[in-house]
Amino acid sequence: MKKSIDNVTPDFTTQFSILMSVYGKDDPKFFRTAVESVLNQTVRPTEIILVVDGPVPVGLGREIANLCSEFNLIRPIELEKNGGLGNALRIGMTEASNEIVARMDSDDIAHPDRFAKQLAFLKSNPEIDIVGGQIEEFINSPDNIVGKREVPLSNKETKNWLRKRCPFNHMTVMMRKSKVIGVGNYIDWHYNEDYYLWIRMAEAGCNFANLPDTLVSVRVGKEMYQRRGGWKYFKSEKKLQDYMLSHGIISFPQYCFNTLIRFGVQVAIPNKVRGFIFQKLFRK
């Protein structure tokens, strides 16, 4: 049975950073909602490292400027060119002032007690290097929940899961910066910079965990399913499978199974069917 940590007293003295990236296609209203959800917490961060990944439209630029003016804990880092999420997060992680760093996406909504729960868990479990949690996916309104992605809880379960699928919901993780930097930090890898990081951290002996609690409400739509399909995405996923096979993380039969499943879902079927499969087979 899953156990919540609602009754654990968080360490309110712990300082931590938020790592966010925003780019030209982000919606200004969704972005503001995401930032406000990070700030309207029972435990606030001491800084938000906001990497502006390349030029942004006037409306989004205005919203970024307004938020930075309203909240002096936001530290914007403006990049001249869009270099992709992996590159942006690598720069942002390097710039973070605190050992504890929490990820947040630019269009999702963090639940108000998210950071309190994660800090409490890390205080009670100092051997854990990353702690994530569950997500609820919604369309248009957070009340319109269309799915829930559940990930395993313990270190052993998480590393077993890693051999088949990404074991964390990236937008929920809270990490120890020194451990991330120690394996080479984020490295650009098309839509899989997080999975690649977890694999390298597992190889380095880092300890993983997820909370049973839903920590973030995630905005989804047909664009998400389009991003998770096509040859470019499949090649990125296959390269990860190649890496795990060559490093002895998975067996050859597991490699064949993983690759075949990904080809079927990401290449062989259209977006509408892919969305149905994700919601019915890979979500609660």
Side-chain angles (χ1 to χ4, degrees):
M1 179 178 295
K2 294 181 178 180
K3 297 180 179 179
S4 176
I5 61 167
D6 290 336
N7 295 325
V8 178
T9 302
D11 180 6
F12 290 99
T13 64
T14 299
Q15 295 187 329
F16 67 101
S17 305
I18 302 298
L19 176 57
M20 295 184 70
S21 174
V22 62
Y23 81 126
K25 293 185 179 180
D26 282 327
D27 185 290
K29 293 181 180 179
F30 296 164
F31 171 62
R32 171 171 280 273
T33 299
V35 171
E36 289 179 343
S37 77
V38 165
L39 296 171
N40 295 328
Q41 291 277 321
T42 55
V43 181
R44 258 195 176 195
T46 55
E47 65 177 5
I48 298 175
I49 303 297
L50 178 63
V51 183
V52 184
D53 191 11
V56 297
V58 173
L60 180 57
R62 185 182 301 117
E63 195 64 82
I64 292 171
N66 289 340
L67 285 165
C68 290
S69 176
E70 293 173 40
F71 306 104
N72 59 13
L73 54 71
I74 299 177
R75 290 177 51 201
I77 300 172
E78 298 184 2
L79 306 182
E80 291 185 4
K81 297 180 180 180
N82 177 272
L85 182 60
N87 177 65
L89 296 183
R90 176 184 59 79
I91 293 171
M93 179 64 73
T94 302
E95 291 295 323
S97 302
N98 300 304
E99 168 66 0
I100 302 299
V101 180
R103 268 285 289 130
M104 182 66 188
D105 277 345
S106 56
D107 57 356
D108 298 332
I109 303 173
H111 290 205
D113 55 356
R114 172 194 166 180
F115 302 134
K117 290 179 176 179
Q118 291 182 290
L119 289 172
F121 185 86
L122 290 177
K123 180 181 179 182
S124 300
N125 300 272
E127 77 284 359
I128 296 298
D129 301 306
I130 312 175
V131 57
Q134 316 306 317
I135 60 171
E136 290 178 345
E137 297 175 332
F138 70 92
I139 295 177
N140 298 326
S141 168
D143 297 328
N144 183 28
I145 299 171
V146 297
K148 181 173 181 177
R149 184 173 190 259
E150 293 190 342
V151 286
L153 306 185
S154 72
N155 183 52
K156 181 178 180 180
E157 292 172 328
T158 303
K159 287 179 177 174
N160 285 336
W161 184 283
L162 177 140
R163 296 183 177 94
K164 297 177 292 184
R165 297 171 61 188
C166 184
F168 290 105
N169 291 310
H170 189 197
M171 68 292 293
T172 71
V173 298
M174 182 175 276
M175 305 166 279
R176 300 191 190 275
K177 175 181 174 178
S178 59
K179 298 295 185 177
V180 174
I181 298 296
V183 299
N185 205 341
Y186 281 94
I187 295 174
D188 185 52
W189 195 294
H190 182 68
Y191 285 119
N192 279 292
E193 56 281 319
D194 56 329
Y195 198 175
Y196 184 39
L197 176 59
W198 317 145
I199 291 170
R200 288 179 285 124
M201 293 184 76
E203 287 185 288
C206 294
N207 294 311
F208 299 162
N210 283 299
L211 302 183
D213 310 78
T214 297
L215 301 182
V216 178
S217 294
V218 175
R219 202 179 300 272
V220 298
K222 64 179 182 180
E223 293 83 5
M224 182 193 75
Y225 301 121
Q226 290 173 347
R227 291 196 300 268
R228 294 185 178 181
W231 277 105
K232 190 173 182 179
Y233 189 85
F234 170 72
K235 289 178 181 178
S236 172
E237 290 262 343
K238 183 180 179 298
K239 281 178 61 181
L240 280 181
Q241 300 303 316
D242 293 343
Y243 180 94
M244 287 196 286
L245 177 64
S246 65
H247 285 239
I249 299 170
I250 58 175
S251 65
F252 184 70
Q254 183 74 62
Y255 169 84
C256 293
F257 177 80
N258 291 350
T259 303
L260 181 62
I261 290 294
R262 283 162 171 77
F263 178 83
V265 173
Q266 296 161 6
V267 177
I269 61 175
N271 289 330
K272 290 183 179 180
V273 178
R274 183 181 305 114
F276 176 83
I277 289 177
F278 265 99
Q279 290 183 4
K280 298 302 180 181
L281 298 184
F282 300 126
R283 301 292 189 266
K284 292 289 186 179

